[in-house]
Structures are given as C-alpha cells and as structure tokens.
Amino acid sequence: MQQAIVISGFGGQGTLFAGMVLAYAGMDHGKHVTWIPSYGPEMRGGTANATVIVRDEEIGSPVVRYPDAAVVLNNPSMEKYEPLIKAGGVLVANISLVSAPSHRPDITCVPVPASDVATQLGDVRVANMVALGALAKATKILPVEAIVQALQDHLPERKRYLLEPNRQAVQEGAQIAERGEWASQRISE
Amino acid sequence: MKQQWEERVVYQRPRALASVSTGYCPGCTHGLIHKLIAEAIDDLGIQETTIAVAPVGCALFLTDYLEVDGVMAAHGRAPAMATGIKRVEPDKVVFTYQGDGDLASIGMAEIVWAAARGENITVFFVNNAIYGMTGGQMAPTSLPGQITTSSPRGRDVETMGMPVRMAELLAGLPGAAYVVRRSVYDARTIKAARQAIRTAFRVQMEGVGFALVEFLSSCPTNWRLNPAQALEWIKEDMEPYYPLGDYKVSDIAKQLQ
Amino acid sequence: MAKELLVGNVAIAEAAIRAGVEAFFGYPITPQTELLEHMAGRMPELGRVFLQAESEVAAINMVYGAACAGARVMTSSSGPGISLMQEGLSYIAISEVPVVVVDVMRGGPGLGNIQPAQGDYNQVTKTAGHGDSRSIVLAPSSVQEAADLTGLAFDLAEKYRTIVIVAGDGMIGQMMEPAELPPMKSLPATRPDWAVTGAKGRLKNVITSVFLDAEVMEAINWRLKAKLDRIQAEEVRCELTLVDDAEILIVAFGSAARITKTAIREAREQGIRAGMLRPITLLPFPSTAIEELLDRVQTVLVVEMNTGQMVDDVRLAVQGRAPVHLYGRPGGSVPVPDEILDVIMSLRA
C-alpha cells in the first residue's frame, strides 16, 4: 500500500513543513516515508511543493506523476495538481484562496477554508495544518492523532509556542473534513 | 710551537638550506632570498616545525632547496593550500613562496582572501616583473613600456593597465598584520630584507595574522641584462614604481621587529 | 540507534563528522548547501575546522593542503563547482593524499538549474582533472546509503590514498528519509608518516606533482594505474534487483535507479520479467557483474538523468552481446516510474 501526497502553495504557506509533519507521522507510525521538496529559486513568495510518499514497504521513486492526493493552498497549485490526481484520489483545496472550480467527477474534493479557519485560530500561518488535518481524515493515510503526535514530537524547540495553534488547526481541519459541510457542494457551486 | 689561533666559525651554510646546487640562472636573486629564509628558520629554531608551500614558477623546486617539510601548490593556489595546512596544524609555521605571476595574476583571489581572513601564514612574494619560468612573458607587475616576449612593443598600459602594487593593495585589508616591501640589490637592502623575513615569521609564530614580505628581485636572463645591470635595474627602474618600505605594521607586529 | 528523518545533504555531513572528518572547506552552491551549513554549525562545536572558502578553486586547494598535512578532510559541491575543482583534483590525484569530495549533481551544462541530474557522470568517472588519473566514485540512491557511503568513502580514501567522490544528485541531497547514522568514531591520534607536519626527528617529507623527467612521470602514471586495477579488482559494488529470471536488464544508478525500481515493480505486476543492476561504485564500474547476467538477458536498458553517459560503460561491458537501449532525461528533468514503465513495455513489444 502506497500513498503519494503533494502539498503545494505559495512559499511561506508552510507546505514543506506540512509535508515534513506528515513524513514524521508516517515514520513514527512504522511506515516507510520519503519527503522531497520542489521550489523555485525565490526564497519567498514562489510556489513551493513537497511530495510525501507513505508506504508499507521500501519506497522506490520519491516522485510520481499522478499523486493519490493533493493539498492545494493557492490557485496556481490548484491549476497544476488538480488535473494530475489519480482517479479515485483526494483533493484538499484551501477555498479561502482557491477560487478555481474542480472539474473532476472522479476524485473526492474536500474544500476547506483553511486560511480563514487559521485566522480564526489566531494565526494564518497554521492554514497548512488545517489542510493537513483534513487530508489525514479524508484519505485515512494516517490517524489524525498520529499527525498531532508528530507535531508534539518534532516541532523544533524555537517553535514550541506554536504547538497549541498547530494542534488545534489539525483537529479543526479533520473535523471539517469529517462533517463534510463544505464537501456537500462542489467547489464551483 | 704552540698554536696561536683557534678556529672560529663566522659563516656557514644555514642548516635549513639544502646542500645542493640550485637551478637558478646566474645573477638571479631567488637563491639569495632562499638563503635569507633558511637563516631565519635556523635562528628562530623552527626547522622542525616549518612547512613550506612552493609555487608554480621558477621557485617550484623550493622544496628541494630547503631542509623543511614542503608541498608544491597549483599555480596561484599556495595561499589556499597553506590555509588548509595551517588550519589543521595551527602550531606549525607555514609559509608560501610565490612569484608575481603566481601571486598577483592567477592567484590574486587566493592571496587577497588569505590576507582578508587574516590567515596566520607568512608569504614571501618575489616580484621580478616578469614570468621567468616560461621564458620572459609580461607579468602583472611588468613596468609600463617593459619589453617582454608577450609585450614585444612594451607593456601598453592602455590595454593592459598599470602594474599591480601588491604590498599596497594587501596592506589595505584589515586582516593583514605585517606587509612590507624590501629588495636585495645591495648590502643595505639585503640587511633590511633579512630583518623583515624574521619579523614575518615571528608575526605568525605569535599568532598575530597575515604577514607578507615583497621582494623586488632580479631576472637577468629574461631582462636581457647581466647580473650587475639587473641589480641596477631593480634600483633605478623598479624601485621608483614599487617604493621599498613598510605598508602595514600592526601594533603587535611593531613589537616583533 | 533509532532512525531519524534526515535530509540527504545533512545525512552526508553528519555521517562524515561521525567518520572523523577533521576539516571541511567548501563554497555554497545549490543543491548541496545544507551540507555546508550543517558543517558550519557542527564542526566548530566539535573543535574541528570549518572554512567557507572564497571559491571552489580555493576550497579544493585548502582540502589539498589539509590532506597533505595528514588530516581527514572533505569538500562538497555541485557541477559548476566540481568543474572549478578539477585543477585541484589533478594535483591531489598524483600526490596520492586521501580526500573525499561530494558532488550533489544538478541540471547543466552551464549554470543550468538546481534540479536533480546525473550529467556529471563523465566528469567524475572519467578523470580527476587533467592528466591521467581517476577517482573512486560512489553513487548513493537513498538517504541511508548516502550516509553509509560517506563513511565508506573515508575508509577507501585512506586505504588507497586516493580521491573518493560521493556522487549524489539534487534528489538524494534534498529529500528526507528515515536513516540511521553511524556511531561517532574517534579522530586519528597520529598523522600518517608521509604527511607534512614539520620534519621533527625524521627526514623532510615533500609532496609535489612536478616530475620533469618523463621516465619518472611515466612510472608514477603506471603506479597509479596499478592502484586503479587493484581497486577495480577489489572494490566493485552493485545492487541486483530481480535479475535471476530477468529478460530485460535495466542498469541505472542513484536517483534514476530508485525511480526505476518502482517501474520494475509495476512491470512485474504486468508479467514482464524486468530486473535491475544498480552500480554503487561508478568507478570501479561493475562491468563483470553486467557481463555475468548476459546469458539470460535479452535486452539491456540504461536509465540515467543525462543524454547518455553511463550507457557507454554499459556498452563496453555488454560488448555487443545484447542490444543496449538508453532512456535519458537530462537538464534537471526527473523521470517518473510511469514513463520508464512505458519504455520497458515498448522494448518488450
């Protein structure tokens, strides 16, 4: 069993970090994991994405053409990855910023107003964790608790003060995905 | 009859100078500078702790002529190589010996950065205003109008710029602790050069920083002069453009002179 | 020791530290920079030497100096910097001092880009600078292996008194994977007897690369070649995956190999008997190991992230006994398993 996840957004939206948390969670959960970044030369503002693979056995390629799921935090990421998701796969879209609709009837769309939720939680920077929580719930790639645990175990010391908002964000995202209150309507509608 | 005198050694080959003939041309002052360095090594008692870094140029066989550990660097890279040695052997005395093509042309970046870092090494820079080993081409320090095999109509400063004054240039860097220019064309200048070599070593031994002695040196063969004329040419032609003197002597270095 | 989630570049740096590297000299270049940055933090902490050089030219010559003094020393760079280091590598090769160089390859030629590539294959395997000399070249295909081969690199460098290049690429350098680092080795207590450390109580040591007498120089060249032959005989390493019944043999190294592994798995699911030989040592090249598989193999496919470099070595090993095909993706384009699978399918048809 292998799941390849792409997490993509603007530089600064924490996509690489969200991928890392997912990879840590997978590793601590006894899975094989790879995490690979891809980003433009700009340090700030460019699009940044991470591909994370979680697999029961040894992982071959750390890159895939067609991910099993994608988390898109902005419009360019939506444009790039929505068409590439495998049939039957999952799209988690940050509808606070993603305006473009999905035209894929063959994938599960999980619209999450991640940036708005994060702002309500007091820090827009945790939008990535809202989306990650939704991803975990929607794909069942790992238990949501595993994500929370990974945050607790691996958040660097200097960022410890962000643990609580991050934790809340993951859980909030998971709940949104579970309630499916946004999923009942297509993103375009 | 009782012997009326005892033997007293007033001069002998320095122990740090190998007992071999050098390959230098007659009248070339490389050999003289080697000897002054060897004497300093003897007098400072550092023969067993010194590591010489030879250049590419006429002095590439320096390691044959000195009885100390030594390496030969790639062209211009002696300061980088010396840096590598000094960083892992900080208690040793590491010096480079470089010509003008090596130090002021191809190795400009390495020498500037060794000085900028205040690398605790000693550099002996032999400036004879020409590429000796390759047969007399224009050097970065060749004088305006100087005829060489690659400037047959004389150095054209319009296209090649003015010669580079390395001592002045390096003295401007904060990392440089001791930067002086000397020559070896007569007893007076040799004596001053001799003293500067010692100071340059002592600056390193005391951990003060980067030390460089530039020597205005002769190349009778490629200058197409006889040895005596060559020494005269240093004094009359080179020295006005490259004044002898102290360009940077830090306060601590002053106490080591 | 437990596994940690590590970036490849950091795994290499930390593995080198644990292998007892005493000095690191380098220059920032993507995609190897995390390696240098890790060294910048850790080496001074351990009382060891870290120096950011003014250029790769200076860095390799600092490495050369430290190696001549007998220190365990390394540098790391990427293609553009490795080009600048060619001069120093040539001097190091003839001086026969142990040095480890890491090349985290990126797309080229020129400044190219910072995406993973394998275009430096010829540069690292065919020569160590000008003249006539080679380096041992190790090619990791995972973060764990990057750490392991770094340790091996120091052992081989000292065993043979040679340059060992760890040739990774932007993917190996930048990706994170769980890996277990080796325990900390202690630093060597003494310097080798050939090192220049000051001629105390012994005759002077001289390390030079100038030998004007052609006969002397020829003898040195033959001595280096004899060493290369010994390395070829004793140090070949490769990994075989599903080759026992393979009709299609794929030869790939580094990142290309691990991507190919997934394609092979998919090919097997479709009933295609594909297998892989992955050279771990690019030099010495596993020619004999390839040759030994040719009785069963009908087709050979080389997958590499360049326009075809290792394929020449594979052709030399195969010697016309089977068709050798190439699937290359140069310039920083990374192949995905699907496209390699398509190539495998097309070869079978």
Side-chain angles (χ1 to χ4, degrees), chain B residues 63 66 69-70 77 89 92, chain C residues 87 191 197 202 204-205:
Chain B
T63 53
L66 294 180
D69 271 9
R77 317 297 175 225
E89 288 287 333
K92 303 294 160 59
Chain C
E87 174 196 59
R191 298 280 193 225
T197 53
R202 59 162 168 77
K204 68 177 176 181
N205 285 335

Side-chain angles (χ1 to χ4, degrees), chain B residues 53 71-74 77 80-85 88, chain C residues 25 57-71 73-75 87-99 194 196 207-210:
Chain B
V53 183
V71 297
M72 192 210 76
R77 317 297 175 225
M81 212 175 166
T83 297
I85 296 170
V88 299
Chain C
F25 303 94
V57 175
I60 194 68
N61 284 287
M62 290 171 184
V63 165
Y64 183 23
C68 287
V73 59
M74 75 179 290
T75 185
E87 174 196 59
L89 288 176
S90 179
Y91 285 74
I92 292 167
I94 187 178
S95 300
E96 296 186 80
V97 290
V99 160
W194 48 258
V196 291
I207 297 175
T208 183
S209 64
V210 58

Side-chain angles (χ1 to χ4, degrees), chain B residues 14-254:
Chain B
R15 286 188 308 282
L17 193 65
S19 183
V20 295
S21 308
T22 72
Y24 298 119
C25 305
C28 167
T29 42
H30 266 307
L32 174 54
I33 297 165
H34 286 13
K35 190 196 74 172
L36 294 176
I37 293 170
E39 281 177 353
I41 290 171
D42 277 10
D43 293 352
L44 294 168
I46 55 174
Q47 189 180 359
E48 293 184 335
T49 52
T50 294
I51 300 159
V53 183
V56 171
C58 285
L60 62 84
F61 291 114
L62 175 80
T63 53
D64 287 357
Y65 305 145
L66 294 180
E67 289 296 349
V68 295
D69 271 9
V71 297
M72 192 210 76
H75 199 19
R77 317 297 175 225
M81 212 175 166
T83 297
I85 296 170
K86 184 72 182 183
R87 293 289 176 122
V88 299
E89 288 287 333
D91 298 334
K92 303 294 160 59
V93 179
V94 182
F95 77 89
T96 74
Y97 185 106
Q98 303 176 257
D100 40 62
D102 194 80
L103 180 139
S105 186
I106 195 166
M108 181 64 105
E110 284 76 13
I111 193 65
V112 166
W113 274 99
R117 285 191 302 266
E119 205 65 54
N120 201 29
I121 59 171
T122 302
V123 175
F124 299 120
F125 168 39
V126 178
N127 177 5
N128 59 11
I130 204 150
Y131 280 78
M133 185 174 74
T134 46
Q137 294 77 33
M138 187 185 71
T141 53
S142 291
L143 295 177
Q146 186 180 338
I147 289 171
T148 72
T149 61
S150 61
S151 59
R153 283 168 290 278
R155 178 179 184 137
D156 177 3
V157 296
E158 291 301 317
T159 58
M160 289 313 300
M162 292 293 281
V164 181
R165 295 184 175 107
M166 286 308 296
E168 289 86 333
L169 188 155
L170 295 171
L173 296 168
Y178 182 71
V179 178
V180 300
R181 183 180 289 121
R182 299 288 185 265
S183 189
V184 285
Y185 60 73
D186 61 14
R188 179 184 59 84
T189 52
I190 290 170
K191 202 174 161 204
R194 188 172 182 274
Q195 189 54 45
I197 290 168
R198 280 148 213 262
T199 304
F201 273 133
R202 292 189 66 202
V203 164
Q204 177 182 174
M205 291 161 70
E206 297 299 324
V208 182
F210 179 86
L212 177 141
V213 182
E214 174 177 343
F215 303 91
L216 302 184
S217 184
S218 69
C219 185
T221 301
N222 287 304
W223 292 351
R224 312 280 193 263
L225 299 173
N226 70 34
Q229 290 168 332
L231 295 179
E232 196 64 23
W233 197 81
I234 299 176
K235 187 178 175 184
E236 299 301 329
D237 292 78
M238 283 185 80
E239 197 179 332
Y241 188 81
Y242 298 112
L244 304 185
D246 296 354
Y247 290 91
K248 177 82 170 279
V249 182
S250 74
D251 290 342
I252 306 173
K254 272 183 194 132

Side-chain angles (χ1 to χ4, degrees), chain C residues 175-226:
Chain C
M175 71 186 289
M176 287 180 100
E177 265 188 305
E180 191 177 332
L181 291 166
M184 185 73 92
K185 257 194 206 174
S186 53
L187 300 185
T190 54
R191 298 280 193 225
D193 54 13
W194 48 258
V196 291
T197 53
K200 186 168 184 157
R202 59 162 168 77
L203 292 175
K204 68 177 176 181
N205 285 335
V206 171
I207 297 175
T208 183
S209 64
V210 58
F211 300 94
L212 298 184
D213 185 331
E215 281 180 27
V216 173
M217 196 75 230
E218 183 181 12
I220 291 170
N221 271 274
W222 286 122
R223 195 181 74 224
L224 292 175
K225 175 65 167 68

Side-chain angles (χ1 to χ4, degrees), chain A residues 35 39 55 58 60-61, chain C residues 174-176 258 261-262 265:
Chain A
W35 171 98
Y39 44 78
R55 193 167 195 272
E58 183 197 351
S61 176
Chain C
Q174 300 280 319
M175 71 186 289
M176 287 180 100
R258 67 178 297 155
K261 226 179 209 178
T262 301
R265 208 153 53 208

